[in-house]
Every structure is written in structure tokens, then in C-alpha cells.
């Protein structure tokens, strides 16, 4: 098993971020959400992970987050949505064998 660690940072701490959206989801526009998702940077501990891992993390932080806001999914999965906004790091384990 191979483990990759990624840190999630805001590009500009004083700019609009994911938690700004979570704090008042009904008061932000889809463009505000897009701006918040673009204010994210990933930093890698050690070797840069494979492109598909980076794509997955970017989808959860960007694509899923935007989708949840657009569809109102955050109403039903509010705790998950808020957790995504608060995340500061993630660990991805790559399984090489087994089920």
C-alpha cells in the first residue's frame, strides 16, 4: 500500500473560501461558489501523487462542492458538505493488491 498526503490551503486567506459558502449557503451565487473553489491550493508531502489522485481530490473540493450547492444536496448532506469545507489535509492510500 502506498500513502500520499496532501495539504489543502487557501490561496488567499482573506478571500472568499469554501467555509464562506458553508456559513451562508443561501446567500451566495453559483459564481461565488466557483470563486471559493478556485481559492484552493494543494501541497504535497514528498513525491507528487498520480494525476488521478489529484483529480479526485480536486473533484471533491470543487466539483462535488459546487454540485451540492447547485442542487441543494447540502441540505441533506450538510455534515459532509461542511466537513469538505473544513478539510486541511487528506491522505490517499493506493492499494496494490487485495480486495
Amino acid at each position: 500500500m502506498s500513502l500520499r498526503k496532501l495539504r489543502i490551503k487557501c490561496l488567499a486567506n482573506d478571500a472568499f473560501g469554501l467555509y464562506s459558502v458553508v456559513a451562508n449557503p443561501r446567500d451566495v451565487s453559483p459564481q461565488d461558489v466557483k470563486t471559493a473553489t478556485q481559492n484552493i491550493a494543494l501541497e504535497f508531502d514528498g513525491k507528487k501523487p498520480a494525476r488521478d489522485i489529484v483529480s479526485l481530490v480536486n473533484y471533491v473540493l470543487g466539483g462535488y462542492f459546487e454540485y451540492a450547492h447547485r442542487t441543494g444536496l447540502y441540505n441533506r448532506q450538510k455534515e459532509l458538505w461542511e466537513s469538505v469545507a473544513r478539510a486541511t489535509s487528506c491522505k490517499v492510500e493506493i492499494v496494490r493488491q487485495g480486495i
Side-chain angles (χ1 to χ4, degrees), residues 6 11 16 22-23 29 34 39 48 54 57 68 74 90 93 99:
L6 297 93
L11 292 172
F16 208 68
V22 168
S29 69
K34 185 124 188 107
N39 189 25
K48 183 177 178 179
V54 175
V57 174
Y74 65 87
C90 68
E93 293 184 36
I99 297 177

Side-chain angles (χ1 to χ4, degrees), residues 17-57:
L18 297 184
Y19 207 75
S20 302
V21 176
V22 168
N24 295 303
R26 288 179 178 82
D27 295 337
V28 297
S29 69
Q31 183 58 41
D32 293 334
V33 177
K34 185 124 188 107
T35 300
T37 60
Q38 291 172 344
N39 189 25
I40 297 171
L42 298 179
E43 294 180 354
F44 312 107
D45 289 344
K47 183 178 156 188
K48 183 177 178 179
R51 187 175 22 200
D52 55 346
I53 293 172
V54 175
S55 293
L56 173 64
V57 174

